């Protein structure tokens, strides 16, 4: 095992001097043909013989206690095998980053909470039967509106402690220019296209779960704990996952209920949540209220910066949206306050949705920065440049790498920012008002423990294996590129095996830590293989050149099969965070630029073009990295203009729990989008030198749209999303 704890900056020799030229190249996803041909196996496909189908029965009230369940009408239906509601292992909700839900309780924490599972010979019968189960309850008054609940400052939820540095109040009082602004964001759903689905079966006391899950190593542990099993009695499979966005980082209650049903019936069980039920059984992003206060000198130097918010959680979960997470190291200012307070609601659990904290915190901060720029008479880009810190303004640590100024400059140049009309509402094209806006982007970098095995076969091909998942991000491809670059092999000569908890434990897909961690582990395994090849060539590893399946050293070139002589070389690599992440401040950075057109008569908003420039360390694959960033930018558009889950304050129902009414961006909403990179390999981040990509694109994207709308119309909206009723009263006359 080649194990590297990141106690110092480090770059594997094979990545520093690789000659194959595949790492970073815009290579199409190697699993693409399997997906488009329908041969890729997802969670709900290829069930074992005799599989039953499951449906979940939910609580009919948002708060109270279950007093009885009458399953007689359901059990009477032909094709119903069982209705299960009295097993103490049944959980009330899904697991999240802070722990698992309660089990074995009659307490109701939210409407739709699972209280029974029906299994039948086909899906339609199961769902029909579930609708016939009568749940008797003792209802209690429910807490459903954030504004009506007490705010808790003294709580222990979440992972982001409050920060109070300097004398904020005095700096605000003394400053010649200040802003004190309030913003709100609504509930957001993760809204992955593939349903939350699982197929489970027992064999010889071992449970196999083929599921749509982002982090299967943690899932294995959670499932085993919930069912009272040893972890070696659980196998989790997730070779292909159709999107997750944080909603599949934990184990949903339907997985545990299906496993119980499979055990009790002695048959495999399939479960797939209908879209409307997903809203209640999968965590969502909390609605928030946010207050941003900034003090500055007349020339734009920030002296005080506060970002305080309120987020919600129920009584059954431990996560709390870290609202100011992306704000902490973004701008200078010696006096600082950041905190997230809590309100308790009787709604489904809130949890980590793509870019927790940054996705919505940047709405407030980046809009506030534009409002400050206007009061100062400064260009928004210039204000941000003035307040670029030399070191992390909270911790005082040096940045591992930070190319944010270059992102501003390159983005402004490519976008044509100098042509922007600084007067709101001044540029028109017929009945359309044209505006330009921008915003900064930041996502903290994380490395987690990860292992990978690389096997260089006797025929000169390679196999890389770990329990990583590919949730549509290109994991198969970047691992093949990493191994190909290290061992001098074309992509076609590298096989990638993922999505099986029996493989070496890796990072999983979430938090933008998966790619860098998994590729780093694979690179470390390749280092050991290179050492073995060097020994066979009577050379030092640094003297080897590997390309196109040949090893060259000292003027001698040997094909890999000839060097291996019928014996494969197998190696493992392991990476883990260390002192380097404590010594340096690490993040990915970027800048968004947006052009919008707003109809002066109807208030319709069209995003016409969008450009982003990003600093993400090493770019592992230019195409898949750009795709991830574009996906985040599109989501930013949707957050700015349409995404809003609405709660009925009388019942705890979501009014719009499906894609018919919860409006994600569709093709017609997506403009011309460009992505460019300012690349600097970050040797402090991990041995691969790559930082997070997947969550960076959404950070700041919505704020750039909002700022462009203001530039187009002169209407400043602080409650998101921007709706017609918010714009129409303030639109300038034609």
């Amino acid at each position: 095992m080649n194990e590297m704890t990141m106690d110092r900056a480090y770059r594997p020799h094979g990545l520093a001097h690789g000659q194959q030229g595949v790492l970073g190249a815009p290579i199409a996803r190697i699993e693409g043909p399997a997906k488009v041909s329908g041969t890729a196996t997802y969670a709900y496909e290829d069930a074992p013989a005799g599989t039953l189908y499951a449906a979940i029965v939910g609580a009919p009230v948002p708060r109270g206690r279950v007093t009885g369940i009458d399953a007689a009408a359901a059990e009477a239906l032909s094709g119903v095998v069982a209705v299960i509601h009295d097993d103490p292992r049944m959980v009330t909700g899904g697991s999240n980053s802070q722990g698992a839900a309660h089990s074995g309780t009659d307490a109701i924490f939210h409407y739709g909470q699972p209280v029974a599972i029906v299994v039948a010979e086909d899906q339609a019968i199961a769902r029909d039967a579930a609708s016939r189960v009568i749940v008797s309850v003792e209802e209690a008054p429910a807490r459903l509106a954030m504004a009506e609940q007490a705010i808790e400052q003294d709580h222990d939820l979440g992972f982001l402690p409050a920060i109070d540095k300097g004398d904020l109040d005095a700096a605000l009082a003394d400053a010649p220019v200040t802003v004190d602004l309030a913003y709100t964001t609504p509930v957001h759903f993760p809204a992955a296209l593939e349903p939350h689905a699982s197929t489970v079966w027992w064999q010889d006391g071992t449970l196999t779960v083929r599921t749509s899950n982002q982090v299967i190593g943690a899932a294995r542990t959670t499932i085993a704990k919930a069912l009272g099993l040893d972890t070696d009695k659980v196998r989790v499979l997730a070779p292909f996952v159709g999107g997750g966005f944080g909603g599949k980082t934990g184990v949903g209650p339907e997985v545990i209920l299906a496993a119980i049903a499979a055990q009790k019936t002695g048959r495999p069980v399939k479960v797939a949540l209908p879209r409307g039920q997903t809203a209640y059984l999968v965590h969502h992003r909390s609605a928030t209220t946010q207050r941003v206060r900034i003090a500055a000198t007349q020339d734009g130097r920030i002296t005080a910066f506060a970002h305080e918010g309120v987020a919600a959680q129920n009584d059954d979960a431990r996560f709390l949206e870290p609202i100011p997470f992306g704000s902490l190291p973004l701008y200078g200012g010696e006096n600082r306050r950041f905190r997230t307070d809590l309100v308790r609601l009787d709604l489904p659990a809130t949890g980590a949705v793509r870019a927790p904290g940054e996705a919505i915190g940047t709405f407030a901060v980046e809009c506030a920065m534009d409002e400050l720029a206007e009061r100062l008479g400064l260009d928004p880009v210039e204000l941000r440049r003035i307040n670029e810190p030399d070191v992390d303004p909270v911790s005082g640590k040096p940045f591992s790498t930070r190319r944010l100024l270059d992102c501003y400059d390159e983005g402004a140049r490519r976008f044509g920012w100098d042509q922007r009309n600084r007067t709101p509402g001044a540029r028109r094209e017929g009945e359309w008002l044209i505006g330009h806006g921008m915003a900064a982007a930041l996502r903290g970098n994380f490395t987690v423990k990860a292992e990978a095995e690389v096997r260089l076969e006797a025929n000169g091909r390679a196999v890389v294996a770990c329990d990583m998942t590919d949730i549509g991000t290109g994991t198969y491809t970047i691992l093949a590129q990493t191994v190909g670059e290290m061992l001098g092999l074309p992509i076609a000569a590298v096989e990638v095996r993922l999505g099986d908890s029996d493989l070496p434990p890796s990072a999983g897909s979430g938090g933008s830590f998966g790619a860098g961690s998994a590729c780093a582990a694979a690179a470390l395994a390749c280092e050991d293989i290179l050492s073995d090849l060097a020994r066979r060539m009577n050379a030092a590893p640094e003297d080897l050149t590997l390309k196109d399946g040949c090893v060259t050293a000292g003027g001698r070139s040997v094909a890999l099969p000839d060097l291996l002589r019928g014996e494969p070389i197998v190696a493992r690599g392991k990476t883990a965070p260390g002192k380097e992440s404590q010594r340096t401040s690490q993040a990915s950075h970027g800048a968004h630029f947006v052009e919008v057109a707003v109809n002066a008569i109807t208030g319709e908003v069209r995003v016409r073009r969008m450009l982003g420039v990003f600093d993400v360390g090493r770019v592992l694959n230019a195409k898949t990295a750009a795709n991830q960033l574009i996906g985040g930018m599109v989501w930013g558009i949707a957050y700015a203009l349409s995404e809003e889950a609405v709660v009925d304050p009388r019942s705890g129902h979501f009014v719009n729990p499906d894609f018919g009414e919860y409006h994600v961006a569709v093709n017609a909403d997506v403009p011309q989008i460009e992505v460019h990179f300012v690349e600097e390999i970050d040797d402090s981040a991990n041995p691969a030198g790559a930082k997070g990509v997947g969550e960076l694109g959404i950070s700041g994207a919505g704020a750039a749209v909002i700022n462009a709308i203001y530039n187009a119309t002169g209407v400043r909206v602080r409650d998101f999303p921007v709706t017609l009723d918010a714009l129409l009263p303030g639109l300038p006359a034609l």
Side-chain angles (χ1 to χ4, degrees), residues 4 6-11 580 583 683-684:
M4 175 67 187
M6 289 298 295
D7 290 333
R8 57 182 176 87
Y10 180 73
R11 185 184 305 182
E580 195 66 8
R583 187 188 70 81
D683 294 329
S684 294

Side-chain angles (χ1 to χ4, degrees), residues 435-608:
H436 296 139
M438 61 83 56
L442 184 142
R443 168 66 183 172
N445 179 69
F446 304 94
T447 296
V448 300
K449 291 181 179 180
E451 295 182 29
E453 181 181 278
V454 178
R455 182 182 178 95
L456 183 59
E457 302 284 8
N459 61 5
R461 298 177 61 85
V463 179
V464 55
C466 60
D467 75 356
M468 259 301 281
T469 52
D470 190 323
I471 61 174
T473 52
T475 308
Y476 282 99
T477 309
I478 60 172
L479 279 168
Q481 289 175 273
T482 302
V483 173
E485 190 70 18
M486 292 283 292
L487 301 183
L489 296 173
I491 295 298
V494 183
E495 178 186 350
V496 183
R497 298 174 183 171
L498 302 177
D500 185 338
S501 63
D502 284 350
L503 297 174
S506 191
S509 298
S512 292
F513 50 63
S517 301
C519 288
L524 293 172
C526 289
E527 274 201 321
D528 272 5
I529 294 175
L530 291 177
S531 293
D532 197 321
L533 295 175
R535 179 182 56 79
R536 299 176 187 220
M537 292 288 290
N538 290 318
E542 59 269 21
D543 294 331
L544 297 185
T545 298
L546 287 87
K547 189 175 182 181
D548 297 331
C550 290
V551 184
T552 301
R556 184 166 68 103
S557 185
V558 183
L560 280 171
D562 295 335
L563 196 60
L564 294 173
R565 299 173 185 171
E567 294 290 333
I569 303 174
V570 182
R572 266 200 182 196
K574 181 178 181 180
T575 186
K579 296 177 182 178
E580 195 66 8
S581 62
Q582 302 166 15
R583 187 188 70 81
T584 61
S585 177
Q586 301 179 10
S588 300
H589 309 92
H592 299 279
F593 294 83
V594 175
E595 178 179 297
V596 303
V598 181
N599 191 284
I601 299 172
T602 67
E604 175 190 356
V605 178
R606 295 180 182 174
V607 180
R608 301 208 305 189

